Amino acid sequence: MIVWCAYCQTFQGEKAPIDAYALTHGVCASCEARAAIDDEAAVRAIQPIVAFYARLRAQAEASAAIPARALLDEAKSLGIAPIDLLWGMLQPLLYEIGDLWSQGRVTIATEHRFSMNVETVLDAIAETLPAPAPARRGAVDFLLVNAEGDHHVIGVRMVDLFLRMRGRSTFLVVPGLPSREVLALAGELEPKTIGVSIALPEHAVRVREIVDGTSGFLRRPRVIVGGWAVKMGLSLDLPRGAEPIADVHGWLPR
Ligand SMILES: [Zn+2]
């Protein structure tokens, strides 16, 4: 379930069942503390958000083109910040359309078209952010990569935008990069953290190569792991020192 605060209309995170994609309303901590408006008004206030989400879902399922700029403008007019649109609507929709595809209820073309469309939204959001500073040694907070063999770029691109919106400096390379190149980049840039996205359990071996490869570094980076395999809670053979992060939105405080 996708939980939004009915009062301030911000995405709060997901709750079980994780594969049910209905948008439901809750109350965030700060609104609860302020007791801003009464319950009835809150339920009314969330209705446009629910309707907006339902329409987006229908467009995705119908393979319709969703113009990125217009989408961002409409979200803004509803008080939805780009970051909440990303994590609270586009991300769950990507998973849902993927599920519908695996059940044979939409075609691969529909799934691909929606993914392409989401990428245009990511581009439009990226344009609104300050251009990243040139990557300098020691000045990169996060080196973000797909594991070699992983071609699912949207998730790691979303994480990149999410971190940049929070003022973190990132260096993103997608799709999949051989571990030796990840290590070479890490040696050059000395990032504080390496974020590796893995789609499948078999990609865990790449994480091991990266963790092992950084053991001789003077300033050893933290290694975090995300991606479909982590989010779905699959059993993964991750090396000691690699931190799986299933919920990026909840991981870094707003
Ligand atoms: Zn709230």
Side-chain angles (χ1 to χ4, degrees):
M1 302 288 286
I2 309 152
V3 186
W4 281 63
C5 175
Y7 295 84
C8 62
Q9 281 98 45
T10 54
F11 173 56
Q12 296 305 313
E14 293 170 61
K15 67 174 186 185
I18 202 96
D19 56 351
Y21 301 97
L23 196 151
T24 184
H25 64 272
V27 185
C28 77
S30 67
C31 284
E32 191 162 271
R34 282 188 292 117
I37 40 178
D38 63 75
D39 287 350
E40 217 174 286
V43 171
R44 264 202 314 278
I46 201 74
Q47 287 316 309
I49 311 282
V50 172
F52 177 68
Y53 182 71
R55 207 189 64 222
L56 203 56
R57 184 190 182 285
Q59 285 175 308
E61 212 178 335
S63 250
I66 306 167
R69 277 260 142 246
L71 182 74
L72 289 177
D73 288 347
E74 190 178 354
K76 192 177 175 186
S77 74
L78 289 167
I80 302 172
I83 199 149
D84 292 322
L85 180 70
L86 274 188
W87 293 99
M89 292 193 176
L90 297 176
Q91 185 210 213
L93 271 177
L94 283 163
Y95 278 103
E96 183 169 16
I97 297 295
D99 258 18
L100 290 177
W101 164 73
S102 67
Q103 296 161 20
R105 289 166 61 193
V106 301
T107 61
I108 296 176
T110 293
E111 193 269 338
H112 284 2
R113 270 180 64 86
F114 183 59
S115 298
M116 283 164 58
N117 210 145
V118 170
E119 288 220 63
T120 67
V121 179
L122 300 185
D123 291 339
I125 293 174
E127 278 172 26
T128 67
L129 298 177
R136 283 183 299 104
R137 178 186 293 270
V140 172
D141 294 324
F142 291 86
L143 169 62
L144 299 173
V145 296
N146 279 125
E148 184 172 19
D150 183 2
H151 300 284
H152 296 81
V153 303
I154 290 184
V156 67
R157 283 198 63 197
M158 283 176 57
V159 172
D160 175 61
L161 288 178
F162 177 76
L163 292 168
R164 286 171 58 194
M165 284 176 194
R166 271 154 179 66
R168 269 58 167 197
S169 62
T170 63
F171 192 90
L172 168 72
V173 187
V174 291
L177 208 58
S179 302
R180 64 171 188 285
E181 286 209 25
V182 176
L183 290 166
L185 273 174
E188 251 172 63
L189 298 171
E190 294 186 352
K192 294 183 185 74
T193 301
I194 303 176
V196 188
S197 178
I198 60 172
L200 302 170
E202 69 214 47
H203 295 143
V205 66
R206 302 302 168 204
V207 178
R208 185 173 298 278
E209 289 168 357
I210 291 166
V211 168
D212 288 350
T214 57
S215 62
F217 281 31
L218 213 53
R219 257 175 285 168
R220 196 172 181 186
R222 179 182 183 191
V223 177
I224 59 173
V225 191
W228 190 83
V230 176
K231 187 176 161 84
M232 290 297 138
L234 305 184
S235 158
L236 298 172
D237 183 24
L238 289 175
R240 186 198 294 269
E243 300 167 53
I245 294 176
D247 171 20
V248 175
H249 180 271
W251 166 65
L252 201 69
R254 295 179 68 86

